[in-house]
Amino acid sequence: MRSESEIREQLRAFVHRHAGGVAVTDDTALFTLRVLRSVHLPELIILLERLRGAPIDVEQLRIGDFDGIDAMLARFGAGQP
């Protein structure tokens, strides 16, 4: 399992690759503002699973889980179920 700072850096890199030059912060609403699109979600879930070292139960996903890097870390970060 990786530390929160390692997970945060990897998520920032992912967003940067897909953001098309849009400046974002860790609390930017990535999907609401269309920085990321639904086609990015499967890859993002796989990345999160790899980083946290545990699967994500997609049946338990909630609105807001992917609102930004901060929200993803709160929901899926190191040590989260």
Side-chain angles (χ1 to χ4, degrees), residues 46-62:
I46 291 168
L47 172 63
L48 283 163
E49 289 177 329
R50 182 175 52 82
L51 292 172
R52 67 192 292 239
I56 292 172
D57 183 356
V58 295
E59 298 291 325
Q60 299 299 315
L61 293 177
R62 301 180 304 242

Side-chain angles (χ1 to χ4, degrees), residues 2-12 26 48 51-52 64-81:
R2 297 173 194 238
S3 71
E4 182 178 318
S5 62
E6 290 175 300
I7 294 171
R8 186 177 296 275
E9 286 304 315
Q10 290 290 320
L11 289 173
R12 286 176 181 153
D26 287 356
L48 283 163
L51 292 172
R52 67 192 292 239
D65 284 346
F66 300 95
D67 274 352
I69 291 171
D70 288 340
M72 286 185 265
L73 277 168
R75 178 71 163 100
F76 307 111
Q80 298 299 313

Side-chain angles (χ1 to χ4, degrees), residues 11-25:
L11 289 173
R12 286 176 181 153
F14 177 88
V15 171
H16 180 72
R17 272 195 316 276
H18 297 289
V22 174
V24 297
T25 64

